[in-house]
Amino acid sequence: ASSTDTFNYATYHTLEEINQFIDLLVAENPNLVSKIQIGSSYEGRPLNVLKFSTGGTNRPAIWLDTGIHAREWVTHASGVWFAKKIIEDYGQDETLTAILDSLDIFLEIVVNPDGYAYSHSSNRMWRKTRSINAGSSCVGVDANRNWDAGFGLSGSSSDPCSETYHGEYANSEVEVQAIVDFVNSHGNIKAFVSIHSYSQLLLYPYGYTTARAADQAELHELAKTAVDNLSSLYGTEYEYGSIITTIYEASGTTVDWTYNSGIKYSYTMELRDTGFYGFLLPAKQIVPTAQETWLALITIMDYTLKHPY
Amino acid sequence: KEDFSGHQVLRISAADEAQVKKVRELEDLKHLQLDFWRGPSRPSMPIDIRVPFPSVQAVKVFLESNGIKYSIMIEDVQTLLDEEQEQMLAFRSR
C-alpha cells in the first residue's frame, strides 16, 4: 500500500507488511504518532510500539497490545485497524479526542514477532515465542505464562514441549522483559489491555489465585459496560469476569502482573469466535471483529480518563 | 511449511465436571499430539481440540466410549489454511 488509506484492513498481513504499515502511519501523522522500539525479540526483530500522543511529558497512559500468541492472527489484524482508527477519530470523535488530549496511548501490534513470522513461514499453528529451551528439543515459551505473577504455579506447564510452558524463570522471554521494563520505566500507565483470541471473553485479574482483586467490583462493572457496548454492534456475545472463575486457572499472565504492579484497569480480551473457525477466522471478519472490539476498548479508555487514580 | 492435511478440530461439549475431567486425561496422552485450542475448564464452556489425522479415530473412540458429545468444528484444517493463503495471495497480486 502506498498509504494507510489504501492499505487493506480486511486481509491478513505478514510481519513485514505490518511493519511497513507502522512506518507509513508514522510518516503520515508525525504530530500524533511515533514509533518506539522497546527492545529486540529473541531472533533480533525490533519490538515496535506505536505511541499516540498530543504532547506533554510522561502523561498518564493506556497500553494496548495484540498478538502475544502468534497464531491468533485476528488480534494482529485488529491492532492494525485500531491504529488507523485512532488516527481517523482524533479530532472527529469526541470521546477519543478527549482521551488523547489528556492521555497517551501505546499500542504494540506484534508482541511476539518471531512467533508471528514463524506462523507465516513454517507453522500456522505456532503459539509460543521462538526461544531455545536448554536441554529440550522443543522450542518456545508461552509468553502469557512468563510474567512474574504466580509464576510457575498451577495453570501453566513446566514441560518445554507444552503449549503453556512457562519458561525457565519469570521474564525469561525478552519480549516479556521489554514490556516489563517499559511499563516500570514509564511509571504512569493507568490502563493495560492485552488482546487474544478466541473465546469472546473480557477478563480481569486474577488467573493464578481465587483471591478477589481489590478492585474487583469496579472492574466487573466496567467489564459489563464494555461488553454491552461491544455487543451492541453485531450482537456478539461475550462473557466477563476474573480469569480463574470465567475460563480457567492460569498463572504468570500479563494482566495479573500489571494489576499487581499497580495498574488498576488491567484487562485481557479473547476476541471473536464464530464457532466454525477458531484461530482460522476468515479475513472478511477482521474488520467487524476490530470494530466491535474497539467499542469495548473505547469504553475502558474513556473510563480511565474519567476515573483517575 | 507444516502440513495439516486431515487434521480435524473437534468441539467437545462436556455435560458435567466428570466429563471435563475425562477430557483433561487426553491432555496427558502426549503420543496423540493434541493441540488444545480451547482447553477444558467447566461444563458450560466448549472444548476445542485440533487432532492430527493419525489420532482422529482414537480420540473419537475415547469420547464416544465415555459418552462425551462432540461435533466436528473443522473437517480439514489444511483446506482452511489453503483458502487463507489463496486469499492473501490474491490480495497481493491485485
Side-chain angles (χ1 to χ4, degrees), chain A residues 8 10-14 17 71 73 120-125 159 163 198-199 201 239 245-248 273 275-280 283, chain B residues 1-4 9 11 30 35-42 44-46 48 50 73-74 77 80-81 83-85 87-88 91-92 94:
Chain A
N8 188 346
T11 189
Y12 291 113
H13 291 277
T14 62
E17 288 166 349
R71 64 189 178 183
W73 281 12
H120 277 268
S121 66
S122 303
N123 183 344
R124 174 66 179 85
M125 290 299 123
D159 175 3
E163 293 289 1
Y198 64 89
S199 321
L201 301 168
E239 287 187 46
T245 60
T246 309
I247 180 164
Y248 41 54
D273 159 32
F276 296 102
Y277 301 103
F279 297 118
L280 308 178
Chain B
K1 272 190 181 175
E2 187 103 4
D3 187 353
F4 294 94
V9 179
R11 172 155 287 189
K30 304 288 181 201
D35 173 14
F36 281 76
W37 281 16
R38 185 154 33 178
S41 54
R42 52 195 164 82
S44 59
M45 297 280 276
D48 298 339
R50 176 173 60 82
M73 179 172 148
I74 297 176
V77 169
L80 276 187
L81 295 182
E83 286 171 13
E84 189 177 70
Q85 278 301 305
Q87 195 268 343
M88 288 175 73
F91 157 68
R92 285 208 191 86
R94 192 161 65 241

Side-chain angles (χ1 to χ4, degrees), chain A residues 40-272:
Chain A
S40 297
S41 70
Y42 181 80
E43 292 178 341
R45 296 181 173 87
L47 299 172
N48 293 323
V49 174
L50 286 171
K51 178 185 180 183
F52 299 87
S53 178
T54 56
T57 308
N58 201 39
R59 279 182 169 177
I62 293 162
W63 171 279
L64 309 173
D65 70 68
T66 51
I68 276 188
H69 288 148
R71 64 189 178 183
E72 298 169 8
W73 281 12
V74 73
T75 63
H76 313 82
S78 295
V80 168
W81 188 92
F82 299 151
K84 180 65 173 171
K85 179 72 172 164
I86 293 169
I87 295 294
E88 282 178 343
D89 279 6
Y90 182 70
Q92 303 293 323
D93 176 81
E94 210 175 290
T95 307
L96 191 269
T97 304
I99 291 166
L100 267 183
D101 281 342
S102 297
L103 307 174
D104 293 340
I105 299 174
F106 293 97
L107 170 62
E108 187 173 11
I109 295 175
V110 190
V111 174
N112 172 15
D114 296 348
Y116 187 64
Y118 193 74
S119 73
H120 277 268
S121 66
S122 303
N123 183 344
R124 174 66 179 85
M125 290 299 123
W126 193 259
R127 163 188 169 98
K128 301 189 282 185
T129 61
R130 290 293 301 162
S131 57
I132 288 168
N133 297 307
S136 172
S137 59
C138 294
V139 170
V141 166
D142 182 346
N144 197 29
R145 298 291 186 279
N146 189 239
W147 301 71
D148 195 7
F151 176 81
L153 300 179
S154 300
S156 67
S157 174
S158 57
D159 175 3
C161 298
S162 165
E163 293 289 1
T164 55
Y165 176 49
H166 50 55
E168 207 178 335
Y169 52 90
N171 303 345
S172 62
E173 301 314 283
V174 287
E175 297 83 357
V176 171
Q177 184 70 59
I179 299 176
V180 168
D181 290 345
F182 179 79
V183 167
N184 285 338
S185 66
H186 187 283
N188 206 12
I189 292 177
K190 299 297 183 184
F192 193 112
V193 186
S194 187
I195 298 178
H196 292 252
S197 72
Y198 64 89
S199 321
Q200 294 174 196
L201 301 168
L202 178 54
L203 306 169
Y204 50 77
Y206 286 106
Y208 71 89
T209 171
T210 52
R212 288 165 61 96
D215 303 291
Q216 175 156 328
E218 186 179 1
L219 292 171
H220 194 79
E221 270 310 299
L222 177 53
K224 180 185 185 314
T225 309
V227 162
D228 286 347
N229 290 338
L230 182 155
S231 301
S232 69
L233 191 59
Y234 296 115
T236 307
E237 288 180 11
Y238 262 60
E239 287 187 46
Y240 56 95
S242 72
I243 298 168
I244 196 167
T245 60
T246 309
I247 180 164
Y248 41 54
E249 190 171 7
S251 60
T253 66
T254 312
V255 295
D256 280 0
W257 178 79
T258 58
Y259 186 76
N260 284 346
S261 301
I263 302 175
K264 180 159 78 165
Y265 306 122
S266 288
Y267 287 98
T268 184
M269 294 185 79
E270 296 274 353
L271 303 189
R272 184 188 279 217

